[in-house]
Amino acid sequence: AQSVAQPEDQVNVAEGNPLTVKCTYSVSGNPYLFWYVQYPNRGLQFLLKYITGDNLVKGSYGFEAEFNKSQTSFHLKKPSALVSDSALYFCAVRATGRRALTFGSGTRLQVQP
Amino acid sequence: EAQVTQNPRYLITVTGKKLTVTCSQNMNHEYMSWYRQDPGLGLRQIYYSMNVEVTDKGDVPEGYKVSRKEKRNFPLILESPSPNQTSLYFCASSYLADRGERHEQYFGPGTRLTVT
């Protein structure tokens, strides 16, 4: 079985400050990890992924995520938040060889001007 | 433009009236999937398909049917909708083989369904 936990329903941060959105996972074998973003009334957009290799992954719009195998975490980060980053963020995992994605419950990011 | 399309985008219907939500992708993806999104629950997989004529249940298949007669299309069928199927539905597709940049799923814009 595979599962994802996003422990925060909402994260509030001031514009210009760094942001972190947390994600922990459980999977048998090696994980493929993903972050997706959902803007209001839109579908999910792919942000970044960890497949293998460097633990620090860079993605779209200045976001990055750090894979930590010992802590089974894949936190999303950005050095300087923008108001336009306000959206719903989903972490997802799937095991190598499987296609089914398991999503977390989502974290709403609010960036205040 | 590479995309996943869904129709309709919004639908209000009554209990028991059969409906179909269409999904189509133009990326020649083998894998297609339906999810429903409910507040606080994230996205849960309903059904998926590994290729034409190959479908299987996801985590929440009850009350839904799918078919995959063509590679590009993967319709979701609610034979007798009930109010607990009121939700936001997403179709997604991806390549089957993990090679190069072929790992992520692409999502449609969503279909908001209300069953009264």
Side-chain angles (χ1 to χ4, degrees):
Chain A
Q2 52 192 38
S3 64
V4 175
Q6 291 181 245
E8 302 153 316
D9 290 336
Q10 182 157 320
V11 169
N12 298 308
V13 64
E15 188 173 32
N17 283 359
L19 69 88
T20 299
V21 182
K22 296 180 180 177
C23 170
T24 59
Y25 68 91
S26 174
V27 68
S28 299
N30 293 322
Y32 290 165
L33 292 155
F34 304 84
W35 276 101
Y36 286 85
V37 60
Q38 184 180 31
Y39 298 101
N41 301 312
R42 303 285 295 275
L44 276 71
Q45 296 178 32
F46 169 74
L47 266 185
L48 52 79
K49 65 187 175 191
Y50 171 82
I51 304 300
T52 187
D54 196 346
N55 289 343
L56 185 63
V57 178
K58 294 188 185 297
S60 308
Y61 313 121
F63 283 94
E64 56 190 30
E66 186 166 10
F67 171 63
N68 187 316
K69 188 172 184 178
S70 62
Q71 297 185 4
T72 61
S73 67
F74 189 56
H75 301 330
L76 182 70
K77 301 182 180 186
K78 188 174 182 181
S80 179
L82 300 172
V83 172
S84 57
D85 292 331
S86 299
L88 189 56
Y89 290 81
F90 289 98
C91 182
V93 67
R94 68 176 174 93
T96 310
R98 292 195 66 202
R99 278 292 131 182
L101 271 178
T102 298
F103 285 84
S105 55
T107 299
R108 187 165 300 281
L109 174 66
Q110 294 276 24
V111 182
Q112 283 107 15
Chain B
E1 181 191 353
Q3 59 182 350
V4 179
T5 57
Q6 296 178 227
N7 281 292
R9 294 288 313 278
Y10 302 91
L11 180 60
I12 300 174
T13 190
V14 297
T15 299
K17 186 177 181 182
K18 181 179 178 179
L19 66 92
T20 299
V21 184
T22 64
C23 172
S24 183
Q25 50 92 7
N26 63 359
M27 294 167 278
N28 202 34
H29 286 162
E30 297 91 3
Y31 182 87
M32 297 187 75
S33 179
W34 276 102
Y35 298 88
R36 61 177 288 173
Q37 181 182 7
D38 302 289
L41 296 177
L43 278 78
R44 294 177 293 167
Q45 191 178 46
I46 303 170
Y47 267 94
Y48 64 94
S49 170
M50 306 282 269
N51 216 324
V52 175
E53 302 291 2
V54 181
T55 63
D56 210 345
K57 297 176 181 179
D59 297 322
V60 288
E62 293 78 21
Y64 305 94
K65 286 175 56 178
V66 293
S67 69
R68 186 92 181 272
K69 293 181 170 32
E70 304 166 285
K71 195 172 186 179
R72 63 183 294 127
N73 297 324
F74 190 47
L76 179 69
I77 303 155
L78 284 72
E79 295 268 3
S80 183
S82 62
N84 65 11
Q85 293 178 298
T86 293
S87 187
L88 180 57
Y89 291 87
F90 289 101
C91 182
S93 72
S94 72
Y95 291 110
L96 198 56
D98 285 334
R99 292 196 299 271
E101 296 300 309
R102 296 157 66 99
H103 303 276
E104 61 266 28
Q105 291 187 16
Y106 295 81
F107 284 79
T111 295
R112 186 167 292 282
L113 172 65
T114 302
V115 183
T116 61

